[in-house]
Amino acid sequence: MTGASRGIGRVAAEHILRRSPDVHLLVVARGSSGAQLAAELGAGGHTVSHVPADLGSLADVSSAAGKVRVRPDRGDLPPLRGFVGNAGMQYTNALTEGPDGFEATFAVNVLANHLFVRLFQDRFITPARIGVTVSDTHSGDFTHNMGMVPGPVWKSPGVLARTGVFTKRDTAVGGRTAYSTSKLAAIHLVHEYARPLPTGIDAVAYNPGFVPGTASPVTQGPSHGSRCAASCR
């Protein structure tokens, strides 16, 4: 699971452990924060481990996925039955580059999820579920985002992965446009996952609704309740 350190991700992680006390939850977190997060979530006897990764770096994501892939073979991790891509980021501009030269919003919200799923794909055992957190901001109208976030501006993924794509790119408007567009791209990813995945592996895009006051670093959509934006298979 990514994005389990705070906000809706922290609540989701606690909910997973409460509903499935026998689960082994592995969290991906930046630097040394993963050890503290695993200890906090593991309080009360839950099994929680961690692997470090900067989700803005595809090399870090690839390294983290590689470490997870071999652990079931060593016997210190059960077979993989799920992936929760909850981590999300919004910047105050659309010009911020990650370590690989990709626009940082797209790198975290889209590319990291994509790489994790592709590297885990042959390691899942059924039944399994892939969940990616999306947002009503992808709808682009006042009803869904209350005018707080500009609607997405769709272009090919190869273009969206680069900086300077949107108008007002050096302002918060550009950053929010990058965010809403990345959430639309995440929904496209989920539909794409559903095509090649074997029967028994579900791909779900989860929309948590509007979540102010949760210490979440991103804006998450409108205030009309939680619902699933897309469910494939």
Side-chain angles (χ1 to χ4, degrees):
M1 180 178 184
T2 68
S5 60
R6 58 178 177 167
I8 58 174
R10 180 61 177 261
V11 173
E14 293 170 351
H15 186 69
I16 290 170
L17 293 169
R18 186 165 56 249
R19 286 195 60 181
S20 304
D22 295 331
V23 76
H24 184 142
L25 180 66
L26 188 147
V27 294
V28 180
R30 181 181 297 187
S32 60
S33 64
Q36 180 178 348
L37 175 61
E40 292 172 356
L41 290 172
H46 298 297
T47 304
V48 183
S49 59
H50 68 96
V51 61
D54 174 358
L55 298 180
S57 165
L58 296 185
D60 260 27
V61 172
S62 181
S63 175
K67 293 174 183 176
V68 175
R69 282 178 55 88
V70 300
R71 288 185 58 182
D73 295 333
R74 296 203 309 253
D76 62 352
L77 189 71
L80 298 183
R81 289 191 178 273
F83 169 74
V84 180
N86 176 71
M89 186 60 68
Q90 178 181 298
Y91 292 87
T92 56
N93 60 63
L95 295 172
T96 304
E97 281 191 359
D100 304 297
F102 297 117
E103 194 277 315
T105 313
F106 199 83
V108 173
N109 298 1
V110 183
L111 297 181
N113 286 321
H114 177 62
L115 187 54
F116 270 127
V117 171
R118 287 297 180 239
L119 293 176
F120 289 155
Q121 184 173 335
D122 66 337
R123 301 295 287 171
F124 287 122
I125 65 167
T126 59
R129 172 167 290 180
I130 296 163
V132 177
T133 302
V134 295
S135 165
D136 263 358
T137 59
H138 84 275
S139 298
D141 57 32
F142 185 85
T143 299
H144 288 87
N145 62 44
M146 297 187 175
M148 295 189 298
V149 182
V153 178
W154 186 252
K155 301 178 185 295
S156 71
V159 172
L160 294 175
R162 302 300 177 180
T163 58
V165 174
F166 309 107
T167 59
K168 301 182 179 179
R169 62 199 64 161
D170 58 343
T171 70
V173 172
R176 290 171 184 163
T177 304
Y179 177 78
S180 64
T181 305
S182 75
K183 290 302 183 178
L184 176 59
I187 291 176
H188 283 306
L189 271 185
V190 169
H191 282 277
E192 182 61 28
Y193 296 154
R195 295 186 179 97
L197 290 174
T199 299
I201 302 180
D202 295 333
V204 176
Y206 175 70
N207 181 354
F210 192 41
V211 289
T214 61
S216 181
V218 296
T219 302
Q220 287 286 358
S223 57
H224 63 309
S226 298
R227 62 188 179 91
C228 185
S231 180
C232 301
R233 282 195 185 272

